[in-house]
């Protein structure tokens, strides 16, 4: 009977205890942490290294991590050192509490703690004073945690909220900050170090007290050896490692891309990226050093993509993120700016595909006096007849205006839009000015589009985050046109500081192009190798003009300096089998096998696609025509067989037909005298006086061709020149600059010692040219 009495009493006591716990659980419910608000975000590079971190609302660096994202070595060390019976107890280990209490009574101080991992989680989530009442609260919360959560969930709370010194909480934040690696990659010694830090995070901070931290770490290693969790060999090797950690400084690499990725994925706590931290830091350092010697308000940006994976490896959005004078917070990778001449290679390639040109097609670098739109060249002056490849490598404006008129400005805009690289055009008006920079484009789009030259003409979207699927691109140009264009760009002269002391054969095969926007607001340089596409921009973020400078002088050296940081094989892009070299003839434009030898005034070797050699485009092609016009050099005429002068059939029924091969009228001033129109076509027979005599070429008087004027310092040369044989209003150009007068007489007052070129054209297209120099 007495035995049952004691059992009943025990049952009553147990019921009271359970009832008390249930009541306590009801009155003081367990509140879970707000995971969505409690964690910082971190952007990682391709190897898991932190690039930039964004603290939580309280300024705490805490990165969410799950159990399977933490090294098993750390879990082993943590449980072995802190709570080896974690998976067996119910949140409280009475034997540990009794042992700790007895030691405290005997020694008068704390010898060992009696808290389990669950109790430590309870103290982290519900801080309490170090009193008996506080300990009771901790025990109650620990029991609640075990009641409501699984062991894995409790352990994950510890992994994410344990203090590690300063504003660091959680093992992932500690690993990234102290060791610059994720918690999944911890070694034995590192795992033991991080296991002990929460015991006294301020006193054991390894960046401030490395000796204390090392001593505490070794204590963990010894305990794990006693428990036979780790072997003697492992422990001895781990003890030999000295504490070496990074100071607690928030990472700030690729700050602008990190900001962009964090903004686009605000709910993500760990944001992976494709960047290479080492390359990113190298690029950022070089750009900062390069711009430090320039005007204090200039910024710079650079972007490099792996042509094979389409992943961005380095993203420098400004010269210095923390430099307010340079507006370092403005991301110039995505900024819409005038691209200058950097769009020309795309038009060149598209014109190849349309069979408008081959690489050596004859284009006209001459004044355009028949339109209200009068573009000029940065170099000033005109070159007359130039090949398409020469126009591209020298970045001549006028030949590309001729080319975009033939291809169609709207067609060009539509092509870029189709591949996702649309231009920003003022008022949406697609006109020829876009090929000279009269539209908006970004460095991001420019690099993506240029990479098509290394990807058989396909434009792929850039990847900033790892993507396991297949990246789908769109065809902008044929593989053949892409290669020919790249090959031509590979021949662009190197920046001046790279032309001496090094053989070009020792440099990687890079096709590159520069650009300068109107009024020198932006300078660009973009380079393409087989493996990488790299673009740079320099200018003022507020859009104010810079001092006169060209892309080749300012952006070009920076481009090659950054290319030097890339691990490239230097191999050239493979030439397609359908591209071949063929001799072509000027002024016709076709292959030499299609032109009679006497009519082949100038031979050139061109890259052609599928053996096709289109004729020369008509230099006078007008806007609004439905199709491009090709120039036909053959001119048929009749001569009087007795005096060999020109006649018409109405004048002479016995006239003989003849054919001459002429150059376009606009190019006459640059053609050899024997090949000019007046030298090849005889004059009309005086007997056919109903035929108006054609004007001879315009003749400029007052200056002789090649004349040199010598002047004293501070003295100006006054020249009076006239033109003979002109009809109607005249257009005078001095070194490419249109003069105000439209009269036959021009007065010049020149005081600059340099070469000069004077060009004149009348309303019929007749023209003349004379070159002279002042010394």
């Amino acid at each position: 009977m007495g035995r049952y009495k004691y059992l009943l009493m025990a049952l009553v006591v147990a019921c009271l205890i359970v009832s008390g716990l249930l009541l306590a659980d009801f009155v003081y419910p367990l509140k879970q942490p707000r995971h969505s608000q409690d964690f910082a975000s971190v952007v990682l590079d391709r190897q898991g290294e932190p690039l930039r971190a964004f603290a939580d609302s309280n300024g705490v660096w805490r990165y969410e991590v799950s159990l399977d994202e933490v090294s098993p070595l750390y879990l082993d060390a943590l449980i072995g050192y802190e709570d080896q019976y974690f998976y067996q107890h119910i949140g409280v280990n009475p034997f540990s509490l009794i042992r700790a209490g007895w030691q405290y009574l005997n020694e008068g101080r704390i010898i060992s703690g009696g808290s389990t991992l669950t109790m430590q989680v309870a103290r982290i989530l519900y801080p309490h004073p170090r009193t008996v009442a506080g300990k009771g609260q901790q025990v109650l919360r620990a029991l609640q945690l075990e009641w409501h959560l699984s062991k894995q969930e409790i352990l994950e709370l510890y992994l994410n909220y344990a203090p590690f010194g300063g504003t660091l909480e959680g093992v992932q934040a500690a690993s990234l900050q102290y060791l610059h690696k994720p918690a999944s990659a911890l070694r034995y010694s590192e795992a033991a170090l991080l296991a002990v830090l929460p015991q006294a995070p301020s006193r054991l901070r390894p960046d401030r007290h490395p000796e204390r931290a090392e001593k505490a770490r070794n204590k963990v290693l010894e305990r794990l050896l006693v428990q036979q969790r780790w072997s003697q060999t492992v422990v001895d090797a781990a003890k030999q490692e000295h504490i070496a950690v990074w100071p607690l400084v928030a990472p700030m690499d690729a700050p602008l891309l990190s900001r962009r990725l964090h903004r686009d994925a605000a709910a993500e706590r760990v944001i992976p990226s494709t960047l290479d931290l080492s390359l990113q830091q190298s690029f950022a350092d070089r750009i900062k050093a390069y711009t430090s010697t320039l005007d204090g308000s200039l910024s710079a940006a650079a972007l490099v993509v792996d042509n094979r994976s389409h992943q961005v490896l380095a993203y420098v959005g400004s010269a210095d993120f923390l430099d307010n004078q340079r507006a370092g917070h403005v991301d110039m990778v995505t900024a819409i700016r005038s691209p200058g001449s950097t769009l020309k290679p795309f038009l060149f390639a598209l014109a190849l595909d349309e069979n408008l040109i081959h690489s050596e097609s004859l284009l006209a670098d001459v004044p355009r006096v028949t339109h209200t739109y009068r573009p000029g060249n940065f170099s000033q002056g005109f070159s007359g007849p130039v090949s398409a490849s020469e126009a591209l490598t020298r970045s001549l404006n006028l030949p590309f205006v001729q080319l975009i008129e033939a291809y169609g400005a709207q067609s060009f805009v539509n092509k870029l839009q189709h591949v996702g690289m649309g231009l920003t055009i003022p008022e949406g008006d697609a006109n020829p000015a876009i090929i000279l920079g009269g539209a908006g484009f970004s460095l991001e789009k420019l690099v993506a589009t240029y990479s098509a030259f290394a990807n058989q003409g396909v434009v792929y979207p850039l990847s900033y985050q790892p993507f396991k699927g297949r990246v789908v691109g769109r065809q902008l140009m044929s593989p053949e046109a892409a290669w020919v264009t790249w090959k031509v760009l590979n021949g662009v002269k190197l920046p001046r500081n790279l032309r001496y002391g090094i053989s070009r054969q020792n440099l990687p095969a890079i096709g590159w192009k520069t650009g300068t926007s109107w009024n020198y607001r932006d300078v660009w340089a973009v380079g393409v190798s087989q493996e990488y596409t790299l673009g740079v921009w320099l200018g003022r973020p507020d859009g104010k003009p810079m001092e006169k400078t060209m892309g080749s002088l300012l952006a070009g050296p920076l481009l090659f300096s950054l290319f030097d940081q890339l691990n490239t094989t230097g191999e050239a892009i493979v030439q397609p089998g359908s591209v071949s070299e063929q001799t072509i003839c000027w002024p016709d434009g076709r292959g030499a096998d299609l032109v009679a030898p006497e009519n082949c005034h100038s031979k050139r070797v061109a890259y052609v696609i599928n053996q096709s050699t289109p004729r020369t485009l008509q230099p006078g092609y007008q806007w609004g025509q439905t199709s491009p016009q090709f120039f036909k050099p053959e001119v048929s005429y009749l001569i009087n067989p007795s005096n060999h002068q020109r006649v018409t059939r109405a004048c002479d029924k016995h006239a003989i037909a003849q054919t001459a091969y002429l150059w376009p009228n606009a190019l006459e001033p640059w053609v050899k005298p024997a090949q000019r129109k007046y030298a090849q076509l005889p004059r009309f027979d005086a007997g056919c006086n109903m035929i108006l005599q054609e004007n001879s070429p315009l003749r400029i008087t007052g200056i002789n061709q090649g004349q040199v004027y010598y002047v004293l310092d501070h003295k100006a040369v006054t020249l009076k020149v006239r033109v003979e044989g002109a009809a109607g209003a005249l257009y005078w150009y001095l070194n490419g600059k249109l003069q105000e007068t439209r009269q036959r007489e021009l007065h010049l007052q020149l005081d600059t010692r340099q070469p000069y070129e004077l060009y004149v054209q009348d309303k019929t297209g007749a023209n003349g040219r004379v070159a002279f120099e002042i010394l």
Side-chain angles (χ1 to χ4, degrees), residues 50-124:
L51 293 171
R52 185 182 179 186
F54 300 86
D56 71 359
S57 56
N58 296 318
V60 175
W61 302 104
R62 185 190 301 114
Y63 306 127
E64 188 171 15
V65 68
S66 62
L67 206 58
D68 57 1
E69 293 173 325
V70 176
S71 168
L73 298 179
Y74 173 76
L75 298 177
D76 209 17
L78 176 65
I79 293 174
Y81 183 71
E82 290 286 359
D83 189 359
Q84 60 179 315
Y85 300 109
F86 173 71
Y87 288 103
Q88 286 77 43
H89 61 64
I90 60 171
V92 177
N93 188 336
F95 299 106
S96 297
L97 289 175
I98 293 171
R99 184 192 69 246
W102 180 258
Q103 291 173 341
Y104 179 77
L105 290 174
N106 283 336
E107 302 291 335
R109 60 188 179 89
I110 297 176
I111 302 299
S112 64
S115 297
T116 63
L117 280 174
T118 309
M119 292 173 67
Q120 293 183 47
V121 171
R123 186 177 66 246
I124 292 170

Side-chain angles (χ1 to χ4, degrees), residues 600-616:
C600 194
H601 296 173
S602 177
K603 291 183 178 180
R604 289 177 172 251
V605 178
Y607 288 110
V608 300
I609 299 173
N610 296 322
Q611 302 296 318
S612 177
T613 54
R615 272 192 157 173
T616 297

